[in-house]
Amino acid sequence: MATAAATVPRARAPRRLYVGLAVLAATIAVVGFWPTYFGPLVAGNVDTTSIIQFHAAVYVGWLGVFITQAVLAATGRVAWHIKLGRFAIGYGVLVIVVGLFTAFARFELRVQAGEVAAAQTQLLGPLLDMLVFAPLFAAAVYYRRTPELHKRLMIVATTALLIAAVGRMAFLGSPRNQLLLHLVWVAPILLAMAHDFWRHRKVHPVYVLGLVVLALEGPLGRTPARESQVWQDMSGWLVTWVT
């Protein structure tokens, strides 16, 4: 009896881990957007467009679904996890649609305001976010009956969405310390990797692949991409299309 009881906490540890990682992801989002959005929202004087309000509501909702799913799995409510999962699939598609719509809507507003250079520069980030999140989310859905793959893909996909929040963390320095920014951004993945190594003495390939993809998609990869002639030509064509 003593031996069996002693093994229960260790068996449940991975499930608790994913609850902690989900809460960490939400915390990163709140901290990053607190000065520009959540703080003013709490104070009742947020000043932003309805598009941004809707975008923020959808993304906060995604984090809420993510945490809820982690809690349901951790507490053994698998049937409820599956039921909510059907809703989460549709909600994930909504995240992608709203992310793309918001990116192009803000691009058009900036162009019409005469801020063409800013429009071209700031469009790339949201597009890359969706370009990374969409296939990771699709893979997580495809492998939803393989928990060891599914939960790791969901961690990587949700972490990919946090870059905008981390980029707004003023305490990371001005200009931002790029290495520190990246470490804060991928903290959920790094912690998950450390847990994998502690328990199994190996790191799951999903996390390794995720770090590589996010490194290429992150700040270190975005700057040369924005300055490339390919992006200048593509975004320039979009400018002429919306004017």
Side-chain angles (χ1 to χ4, degrees):
M1 289 296 291
T3 303
T7 62
V8 171
R10 184 172 179 85
R12 291 179 179 175
R15 292 181 175 183
R16 293 198 302 269
L17 168 74
Y18 286 93
V19 175
L21 295 178
V23 171
L24 174 60
T27 301
I28 291 172
V30 172
V31 171
F33 283 104
W34 185 266
T36 59
Y37 184 76
F38 290 110
L41 182 65
V42 171
N45 58 1
V46 64
D47 182 21
T48 188
T49 64
S50 57
I51 294 175
I52 299 302
Q53 292 270 28
F54 181 62
H55 177 271
V58 169
Y59 276 60
V60 169
W62 172 257
L63 292 172
V65 170
F66 187 51
I67 292 173
T68 302
Q69 284 291 74
V71 170
L72 290 174
T75 55
R77 296 178 172 86
V78 178
W80 280 101
H81 180 87
I82 294 173
K83 288 180 180 179
L84 182 59
R86 299 187 185 102
F87 168 79
I89 292 173
Y91 202 101
V93 174
L94 177 64
V95 168
I96 297 168
V97 172
V98 170
L100 292 174
F101 174 79
T102 303
F104 285 111
R106 297 189 73 186
F107 174 80
E108 183 176 6
L109 289 173
R110 290 188 179 106
V111 171
Q112 291 176 349
E115 303 170 357
V116 175
Q120 291 179 267
T121 299
Q122 296 182 39
L123 176 63
L124 180 63
L127 294 186
L128 287 176
D129 292 345
M130 293 301 98
L131 184 63
V132 171
F133 174 78
L136 287 170
F137 174 70
V141 172
Y142 182 81
Y143 289 108
R144 62 189 181 277
R145 293 183 177 85
T146 309
E148 294 305 309
L149 280 174
H150 172 74
K151 60 188 180 183
R152 289 174 170 85
L153 285 165
M154 288 299 296
I155 286 291
V156 177
T158 300
T159 299
L161 297 176
L162 301 176
I163 186 171
V166 177
R168 287 167 171 77
M169 293 180 175
F171 57 83
L172 296 181
S174 181
R176 300 287 185 267
N177 182 315
Q178 295 299 309
L179 176 59
L180 184 57
L181 184 153
H182 195 86
L183 289 176
V184 173
W185 176 27
V186 300
I189 299 175
L190 294 178
L191 289 174
M193 292 174 71
H195 184 270
D196 266 9
F197 186 77
W198 174 70
R199 287 183 62 85
H200 308 295
R201 294 298 181 267
K202 63 181 180 180
V203 176
H204 200 282
V206 166
Y207 293 141
V208 177
L209 177 61
L211 284 184
V212 172
V213 170
L214 296 191
L216 295 174
E217 186 256 341
L220 296 178
R222 292 186 183 198
T223 299
R226 287 191 183 103
E227 296 173 353
S228 69
Q229 191 59 48
V230 173
W231 176 250
Q232 292 300 317
D233 291 343
M234 183 181 300
S235 58
W237 175 81
L238 288 172
V239 170
T240 61
W241 187 76
V242 301
T243 54

